[in-house]
Amino acid sequence: MIALYTKAIGATLLLAFSACGAGRWIPRLLPETCSRLDRAALALVGGLGILGTLLFLVGQFMFSRTVILAVLASTAVFGISPLTSWIRLLWGEIREMRPYRIPAAVIAVVLLVSAIAGLAQIAGGWETDAVAYHLYGPKIWLRDALVRPVPDNCLTAFPQTTEILFAALMSIGGARAPGFSSVLTTVGFLLVVAALAARCSPGKEAAWWGAAIAITMPAVYAGSHSGFIDVFYASLVVAALRVALDACALPHYCVMGLFSGLAMGTKYTGLLAFLAILAAALVARWDEIHAGRTSSLAKGVGVAVGVACCAAAPFYLRNWIVLGSPIYPPPLLLLRFFHPKYVTVEMLTQMQSFLWQRGAGLGRGLLAYFLLPYNLTYHTSNFHGAGGIGLAPLAFLPIAVFLALRDRALRALLIFAWITTTLWFVQQESRYLIPAYAVLAVLAVAGWQWLKRAGSGKAARLLAAAVVALSLCYGGFMILSARRSEMHATLSQGYAEKLRQEQTPYFESFQYLNASKSVRKVLVLDRSVMPYNLNCDYVKPIGTWGERVFPEIRDSADALHQLKNLGISHVMDVHSSVALFQVPDHTPGLKLVLDLPDQRVYLVTE
């Protein structure tokens, strides 16, 4: 096990150096007002996004381990100097952090939990997003040495900046590396949030507290580990927002557009987030607009839009060329203009209906909208998140609103948070709102720090400190509770194996097929079965969402008639929540070799 852990840690360290090498030029284009913290944070996060895009482009032609190592090694050479200098800078801050030892200790504990739990192997079925598509696509890309959407799973065609990095990590560090890499992406998120907090509040204290409050929001932390990409996506959005606050020249808008485009290349929600970022940029430069000096601003916004489109274009153009639609799976409205492969109108209708129902949250009415501050604080789990965001934003946001009347940076952040939350209200999935949660943490710190500086009474200061302490303690308890079993699995090989068996549906069938030397290609009949758990070649004619991989195969009966043409050696059949067993008893040419209550494996004899 130690060797497996060492590989995962080593691959993540290589990725860190490579990211710093890929992003080392970004600080040169930032506004002069940006601090060393800003420059380090944006170089790391931007470097990860650039590296993901570069690997994606290379992977369209070749995606072998040799190619991946060549790309990472060539960029890592340029990352040695900046990363070591930033580590020295951070170490200097840590040595002088006595006034900030509480938030620093909180951050250290969260990162330690992520590191230990991240070494556990990710397992599960189609309800586990990492197994369903975040790691499923990368496993197939590495097998085929080519980056292409998997026909039987339309979600593997989503923007793929982070999944490409997962694939590179899996190639070098094994199956545990993507989980452990959450330490690196969480550090990037913390640095960006700290930089934004330092920009909006005087002193280093705000940076430490902003990062601590943000990462102990259970709804934020839930999007940072186990193959989720939402915290890294939020890092890119917040980085673009940070640059937007001080952008005043074309190079600044170029960087703002770059981070926005990388966010669009990470999640489709980045398309909507870009609108909020542009709105925040306009608010930040409202004095120029009010004075009629809009020429340079219009040029800057135009540059930002152009760079963002160029940065995101590889993912959308690839989908258009390979799948027939730039956004895939496409909304029904796009079917008027595009003709996507593998999907049907019925499938897309059912998919949109499912997502619409799932995203209802606690309601879409006007009352539910005005209750969002309360519900986001206490009931984020109803939005498919985890446990709320703590008391600090709700307690200190009114003060931040008051401060925003005379501070354009805070005003821009409020506009961003409001637009993002309003757009999110249509599809209420908690982790989609992590960029707004990060901004709320920064606003909460701004309000709290002003309260301390304003000379308020001792009772008010104690009450404010108690609110922050409750937020941190609540978040810490939720995080430790959520990751307790994974930490146990890292420390105990026996428990890890037991947990993997419990979490993996049809574990026995996968074990049999992976261990059998006679297996050449497996026919998977049930759409709920996740081929991520198969280490051999397979065919899944009906995809997870109902994709039609072969136009001539409409159901399992058609597939069973095509066994010879498909080159099938074994058939995997299960009794699931989706369908009963699909292979009729005594089917000619099939020999039952594994028979369990909810799973069967057949050997093709003819």
Side-chain angles (χ1 to χ4, degrees), residues 523-527 539 541-542 556 559-560 571-573 582-583:
L523 173 64
V524 179
L525 293 176
D526 194 293
R527 66 186 183 90
V539 172
I542 308 300
S556 59
L560 291 172
V571 177
M572 181 178 176
D573 192 20
Q582 299 180 52
V583 176

Side-chain angles (χ1 to χ4, degrees), residues 512-513 520-525 556-574 581-595 600-606:
Y512 177 88
L513 292 166
R520 298 189 310 275
K521 185 182 289 186
V522 179
L523 173 64
V524 179
L525 293 176
S556 59
D558 290 342
L560 291 172
H561 283 101
Q562 297 286 335
L563 293 178
K564 185 176 180 179
N565 295 334
L566 295 173
I568 303 299
S569 65
H570 290 73
V571 177
M572 181 178 176
D573 192 20
V574 303
F581 285 119
Q582 299 180 52
V583 176
D585 292 338
H586 311 297
T587 300
L590 295 181
K591 177 184 177 181
L592 187 62
V593 292
L594 180 68
D595 187 10
R600 294 172 182 171
V601 175
Y602 295 86
L603 171 67
V604 179
T605 58
E606 293 182 2

Side-chain angles (χ1 to χ4, degrees), residues 40-121:
L42 298 183
L44 174 60
V45 173
L48 285 170
I50 293 169
L51 194 60
T53 305
L54 177 61
L55 285 169
F56 175 83
L57 290 170
V58 172
Q60 303 307 303
F61 306 97
M62 179 68 72
F63 201 61
S64 65
R65 179 180 297 178
T66 302
V67 170
I68 293 169
L69 277 171
V71 172
L72 293 182
S74 60
T75 51
V77 170
F78 297 100
I80 295 174
S81 175
L83 183 57
T84 51
S85 66
W86 293 330
I87 290 175
R88 285 197 298 269
L89 170 64
L90 182 61
W91 178 247
E93 292 291 332
I94 292 174
R95 290 177 62 184
E96 301 175 3
M97 72 179 187
R98 187 170 182 178
Y100 326 121
R101 58 185 181 273
I102 294 177
V106 169
I107 292 170
V109 169
V110 172
L111 291 177
L112 181 62
V113 169
S114 294
I116 296 173
L119 289 170
Q121 188 168 351

Side-chain angles (χ1 to χ4, degrees), residues 150-156 158 328-332 335 340-355 527 541-549:
V150 183
D152 59 67
N153 193 319
C154 61
L155 304 188
T156 60
F158 281 1
Y328 189 93
L332 290 172
L335 294 183
K341 298 179 180 178
Y342 308 123
V343 297
T344 64
V345 175
E346 294 76 17
M347 172 201 146
L348 294 175
T349 302
Q350 292 175 5
M351 192 177 198
Q352 285 194 196
S353 177
F354 169 78
L355 294 175
R527 66 186 183 90
I542 308 300
T544 303
W545 289 91
E547 299 90 338
R548 295 285 183 84
V549 178

Side-chain angles (χ1 to χ4, degrees), residues 296-599:
S296 61
L297 179 61
K299 291 180 181 178
V301 170
V303 167
V305 172
V307 172
C309 292
C310 290
F315 304 95
Y316 295 84
L317 288 177
R318 192 285 309 270
N319 279 357
W320 195 352
I321 294 169
V322 174
L323 297 171
S325 175
I327 297 178
Y328 189 93
L332 290 172
L333 290 175
L334 290 186
L335 294 183
R336 298 181 181 180
F337 310 101
F338 304 103
H339 303 284
K341 298 179 180 178
Y342 308 123
V343 297
T344 64
V345 175
E346 294 76 17
M347 172 201 146
L348 294 175
T349 302
Q350 292 175 5
M351 192 177 198
Q352 285 194 196
S353 177
F354 169 78
L355 294 175
W356 179 255
Q357 293 172 11
R358 178 181 168 89
L362 292 179
R364 293 191 174 96
L366 192 61
L367 179 60
Y369 181 78
F370 286 111
L371 285 175
L372 277 179
Y374 175 84
N375 287 329
L376 291 176
T377 299
Y378 296 105
H379 297 298
T380 343
S381 56
N382 295 88
F383 305 98
H384 309 286
I389 61 174
L391 285 172
L394 185 64
F396 300 117
L397 191 59
I399 301 175
V401 172
F402 168 74
L403 295 175
L405 296 176
R406 52 187 179 181
D407 188 312
R408 67 179 185 182
L410 294 180
R411 195 157 56 244
L413 295 187
L414 280 171
I415 289 295
F416 170 85
W418 174 67
I419 293 175
T420 303
T421 304
T422 301
L423 293 172
W424 168 88
F425 187 65
V426 177
Q427 185 66 35
Q428 299 171 31
E429 187 93 15
S430 180
R431 53 194 171 86
Y432 295 172
L433 201 55
I434 291 178
Y437 295 154
V439 169
L440 289 176
V442 171
L443 293 171
V445 169
W448 180 34
Q449 296 299 301
W450 179 87
L451 191 66
K452 291 167 63 176
R453 294 192 306 270
S456 56
K458 183 178 180 180
R461 291 196 300 272
L462 287 175
L463 181 60
V467 167
V468 175
L470 282 172
S471 288
L472 297 180
C473 291
Y474 165 72
F477 172 78
M478 294 291 290
I479 289 169
L480 288 170
S481 300
R483 307 219 69 187
R484 182 173 52 193
S485 63
E486 292 163 285
M487 289 190 289
H488 188 184
T490 298
L491 302 174
S492 169
Q493 185 174 355
Y495 180 78
E497 185 63 21
K498 176 177 176 290
L499 189 64
R500 192 163 73 95
Q501 292 185 30
E502 293 175 353
Q503 292 180 341
T504 305
Y506 320 117
F507 179 82
E508 294 81 5
S509 292
F510 292 124
Q511 286 289 91
Y512 177 88
L513 292 166
N514 290 333
S516 178
K517 295 182 180 179
S518 63
V519 175
R520 298 189 310 275
K521 185 182 289 186
V522 179
L523 173 64
V524 179
L525 293 176
D526 194 293
R527 66 186 183 90
S528 70
V529 172
M530 289 294 101
Y532 171 79
N533 297 300
L534 274 175
N535 296 332
C536 48
D537 197 5
Y538 74 94
V539 172
K540 190 177 179 184
I542 308 300
T544 303
W545 289 91
E547 299 90 338
R548 295 285 183 84
V549 178
F550 305 101
E552 68 275 11
I553 297 180
R554 296 166 298 177
D555 52 32
S556 59
D558 290 342
L560 291 172
H561 283 101
Q562 297 286 335
L563 293 178
K564 185 176 180 179
N565 295 334
L566 295 173
I568 303 299
S569 65
H570 290 73
V571 177
M572 181 178 176
D573 192 20
V574 303
H575 181 179
S576 71
S577 59
V578 173
L580 304 178
F581 285 119
Q582 299 180 52
V583 176
D585 292 338
H586 311 297
T587 300
L590 295 181
K591 177 184 177 181
L592 187 62
V593 292
L594 180 68
D595 187 10
L596 295 172
D598 62 346
Q599 49 190 311

Side-chain angles (χ1 to χ4, degrees), residues 63 134 136-150 156 160 163-164 167 318:
F63 201 61
H134 288 308
Y136 175 36
K139 186 173 182 176
I140 302 302
W141 304 335
L142 293 174
R143 185 196 70 185
D144 298 340
L146 198 66
V147 177
R148 289 288 185 273
V150 183
T156 60
Q160 296 160 348
E163 284 85 353
I164 287 290
R318 192 285 309 270

